[in-house]
Amino acid sequence: MSSNSILDTALLSPRLYDDVVGWASSLSKNDIVGILAIIISTAVLWNYFSSPKQRLVPGIPVIGGASIKERIRNRERFRHDSKAMLTEGYFRNNVNGGFFYVPSPLGERLMIPVRYLEDLKTAPIDKVDFVGTFIEMFEGKYTTFGSRSTLHPRTVKADLNQHLPDVMMEVQDEIVECFDQIFPKCSEDEWTAVPLVDVITRIVARVSSRMFGGPELSRNSSWVAASISFALDGYVGAQKLKKYPEFLKPIAARLIPEIRILAKYYQEAENAALPMLAERARTGKRPKDLLAWMQDAAVGEETDPRFIAGILLKISFAAIHTTAAANSQLIFDICQRPELATLLREEFNQVANEDGKINKKGFFQMHIMDSIMKESQRFNPLLLITFERIITEDWRLSDGFVIPAHTTIGVPAQAIAMDPKLYADPETFDPLRFVKLRQSTDDPAVKGKAQFVAANPQSMPFGYGRHACPGRFFAGDEIKAITMYLLNNYDIKFAEGQTRPTSMQVETQFLPDHSATILCRKRRTT
């Protein structure tokens, strides 16, 4: 008899049930407290002795101090002051090629010098785990954030990037409708306060959904709402869950409303995607969208329509909120420097088609926009640490240095972006920094490094190596198209006396201020 059958029999036995109730009723308050104390103590000890232990490499500095007391204190500090800790570590140690540990709630993260990127970028994923850090960051065991499926990165690399010019033509149609339906109504005579991050997130959700599944998906309001809420509730749920010790998380997760509701969003994804997949299977129609490409590329368990619907929801988290964050930061920077709007409108007029759209060549020729985007990202990247990996077994680097098992590694990408050896006058926001870099050389490699989508050791917002974000090319064009529609149709500025909103630090994340507003006014048509 299985353990479940025994449990079922016991639970259904009236005599046993009466005995248990009688025993429980006889317990005093002190008895109950004692039993709970034993249960909790046992769980704590089991969690301590069963969890894999991190081993620190002797001699590597720990930011804030190496004693247990100092590390515990600085793990909490990392939640809200990670940027300063990483900057301190980089300029004291990493900049000269040294390692350092930065305490965090996940333990002491080992920051590696960029010279080791070539050693690690092609390492086997079961030894140097790329997905595990994402799952840990967002409590993926309970929120379902993170996926080890390769269906979506395969499809984005092989199909979306290849068909990007065609996709972007449809996306630009969607942007027009999004602004008409989502953007707050503005007049030509008065300024209107706009909650930027919220509005841009809803626009990006619609626009991205056009790429995911064409107009049928982008105009499905239930799907769009679910794709936004999935990320917001999952993020909030993960932050709440982080307050609990590991042994209590399975119980706490069942009680946190934001985690419990995630199942509803999966159902919404299935409601939206399954009929589309069935219709396409029946008719053989294959529009140029991600859903069709995944349907064609799927093998094995990936062919289950529910699996594809679930992957689509997970992709929406990565595609929508990362792009919306970068786009919002860019618009904040343009509001801070009003002269940039004029430059960008002039550039748009030089590259746009007669119908007001931007084609593949036009997107590539938007050097001023690309430079401002890259400079904006240099100051306010979504992640302060990139190239994060979990080392699952002792890993020897090419010079003999061994990274111990159960170590989380990463590169302090934002600190690197402020290195004066790499960027002249790095603390100054120079919107044309990368335009000038392109113009200073005929070397295609250097020109390539000046692009917003570049992924190299000096510029790592998108990661590096084979796991660098495959959707960054779509995201870059999407941001350009959304921003230019905004600038061509609206004047934008900060309110009198308002300064650029400060980004919020949440451990490794550097998020735009969701409460910040900008002022918008409809541009006069001539």
Side-chain angles (χ1 to χ4, degrees):
M1 182 179 289
S2 69
S3 59
N4 286 339
S5 299
I6 294 172
L7 179 60
D8 293 341
T9 301
L11 291 175
L12 291 172
S13 170
R15 181 177 177 181
L16 180 59
Y17 176 80
D18 290 341
D19 290 343
V20 171
V21 170
W23 172 76
S25 300
S26 69
L27 295 176
S28 67
K29 182 178 179 180
N30 288 337
D31 291 333
I32 295 173
V33 171
I35 291 171
L36 288 175
I38 292 171
I39 292 172
I40 292 173
S41 299
T42 302
V44 169
L45 290 172
W46 178 86
N47 183 68
Y48 179 82
F49 287 107
S50 64
S51 300
K53 297 299 180 295
Q54 180 181 5
R55 291 177 287 123
L56 301 188
V57 178
I60 293 181
V62 180
I63 301 306
S67 72
I68 293 177
K69 183 177 180 180
E70 289 170 319
R71 284 155 53 191
I72 291 174
R73 183 178 67 248
N74 282 293
R75 286 177 183 178
E76 287 304 308
R77 177 191 168 198
F78 187 83
R79 294 184 189 276
H80 59 84
D81 199 27
S82 50
K83 183 171 177 282
M85 295 172 71
L86 291 164
T87 298
E88 176 188 346
Y90 177 75
F91 285 102
R92 282 191 180 182
N93 306 284
N94 216 213
V95 71
N96 295 317
F99 295 86
F100 70 91
Y101 283 108
V102 59
S104 78
L106 291 178
E108 281 58 67
R109 299 172 190 249
L110 179 63
M111 296 296 102
I112 63 172
V114 295
R115 68 175 182 273
Y116 292 114
L117 291 175
E118 296 303 315
D119 287 6
L120 293 161
K121 71 177 185 179
T122 58
I125 194 169
D126 61 324
K127 305 292 192 302
V128 181
D129 189 356
F130 163 72
V131 180
T133 54
F134 187 87
I135 293 173
E136 283 192 350
M137 182 188 301
F138 294 105
E139 298 289 349
K141 183 178 179 180
Y142 307 100
T143 64
T144 71
F145 282 16
S147 172
R148 295 193 181 277
S149 169
T150 62
L151 176 59
H152 46 298
R154 294 196 322 260
T155 305
V156 170
K157 290 177 182 178
D159 297 295
L160 174 59
N161 292 342
Q162 179 182 344
H163 295 99
L164 190 56
D166 294 328
V167 170
M168 286 308 302
M169 286 296 159
E170 289 200 21
V171 158
Q172 290 175 82
D173 291 334
E174 190 72 31
I175 289 172
V176 176
E177 293 190 22
C178 284
F179 271 85
D180 182 56
Q181 297 172 16
I182 296 173
F183 203 80
K185 300 304 178 186
C186 302
S187 73
E188 295 180 348
D189 301 315
E190 296 182 357
W191 292 93
T192 300
V194 175
L196 184 68
V197 178
D198 174 66
V199 171
I200 290 297
T201 299
R202 288 190 285 146
I203 289 174
V204 170
R206 274 274 305 266
V207 171
S208 298
S209 293
R210 182 67 175 254
M211 177 271 286
F212 293 157
E216 183 177 353
L217 192 64
S218 67
R219 291 162 198 176
N220 184 326
S221 58
S222 296
W223 153 260
V224 174
S227 68
I228 296 172
S229 297
F230 175 71
L232 294 177
D233 283 333
Y235 174 81
V236 172
Q239 299 312 307
K240 289 185 177 180
L241 196 59
K242 286 179 184 296
K243 297 177 182 178
Y244 293 89
E246 286 298 325
F247 72 91
L248 285 180
K249 285 181 179 179
I251 299 172
R254 294 178 178 272
L255 303 176
I256 294 174
E258 290 85 357
I259 294 180
R260 294 177 62 186
I261 201 173
L262 297 180
K264 173 188 173 184
Y265 303 138
Y266 277 99
Q267 186 61 56
E268 292 288 359
E270 291 182 9
N271 293 344
L274 265 55
M276 296 175 65
L277 291 167
E279 177 66 13
R280 292 174 179 193
R282 185 183 67 81
T283 63
K285 289 184 178 179
R286 287 295 182 270
K288 292 179 180 178
D289 59 42
L290 193 65
L291 200 59
W293 295 323
M294 288 199 297
Q295 191 173 19
D296 288 341
V299 294
E301 68 172 3
E302 298 171 344
T303 59
D304 182 346
R306 287 182 173 80
F307 179 90
I308 294 176
I311 288 294
L312 193 67
L313 187 63
K314 293 181 180 183
I315 295 171
S316 74
F317 166 70
I320 294 171
H321 292 271
T322 54
T323 301
N327 209 158
S328 299
Q329 299 282 24
L330 172 66
I331 295 168
F332 285 149
D333 287 322
I334 294 172
C335 287
Q336 184 76 1
R337 301 162 184 82
E339 70 279 4
L340 296 182
T342 301
L343 280 177
L344 291 170
R345 289 173 186 137
E346 291 174 352
E347 181 178 63
F348 174 83
N349 291 332
Q350 294 172 4
V351 303
N353 295 337
E354 292 181 358
D355 59 0
K357 288 185 177 181
I358 310 169
N359 60 21
K360 177 181 178 180
K361 182 179 180 181
F363 278 117
F364 181 74
Q365 291 177 332
M366 296 177 74
H367 294 173
I368 294 175
M369 171 67 87
D370 199 83
S371 179
I372 299 170
M373 288 165 60
K374 193 172 181 71
E375 187 74 343
S376 176
Q377 188 183 58
R378 190 173 71 85
F379 275 80
N380 290 280
L382 181 61
L383 295 173
L384 300 171
I385 300 174
T386 60
F387 201 81
E388 287 200 278
R389 306 287 191 269
I390 296 175
I391 305 300
T392 60
E393 62 180 48
D394 287 3
W395 188 259
R396 185 177 298 275
L397 299 173
S398 57
D399 62 359
F401 183 90
V402 176
I403 304 175
H406 314 304
T407 298
T408 298
I409 64 170
V411 171
Q414 199 278 333
I416 290 174
M418 291 293 152
D419 189 342
K421 294 180 180 178
L422 303 175
Y423 299 96
D425 195 12
E427 298 294 335
T428 298
F429 188 103
D430 181 357
L432 301 182
R433 179 185 300 273
F434 297 100
V435 170
K436 290 181 281 191
L437 179 58
R438 288 177 190 249
Q439 295 172 344
S440 69
T441 181
D442 293 323
D443 186 344
V446 176
K447 289 180 180 290
K449 290 181 178 180
Q451 295 182 44
F452 173 73
V453 295
N456 57 70
Q458 290 76 46
S459 180
M460 296 187 61
F462 295 110
Y464 183 68
R466 61 175 174 166
H467 295 300
C469 173
R472 64 190 186 275
F473 302 98
F474 172 74
D477 286 355
E478 184 181 19
I479 292 170
K480 290 175 183 177
I482 290 173
T483 304
M484 282 318 309
Y485 189 87
L486 173 67
L487 294 179
N488 285 333
N489 291 276
Y490 300 87
D491 292 318
I492 62 174
K493 69 176 185 178
F494 286 138
E496 188 71 26
Q498 181 182 353
T499 58
R500 191 202 188 285
T502 302
S503 295
M504 300 178 294
Q505 298 179 51
V506 184
E507 297 187 16
T508 65
Q509 299 172 82
F510 205 45
L511 307 172
D513 185 349
H514 283 242
S515 66
T517 61
I518 65 170
L519 297 180
C520 297
R521 181 179 65 188
K522 191 74 174 173
R523 294 191 75 206
R524 296 184 183 277
T525 56
T526 56

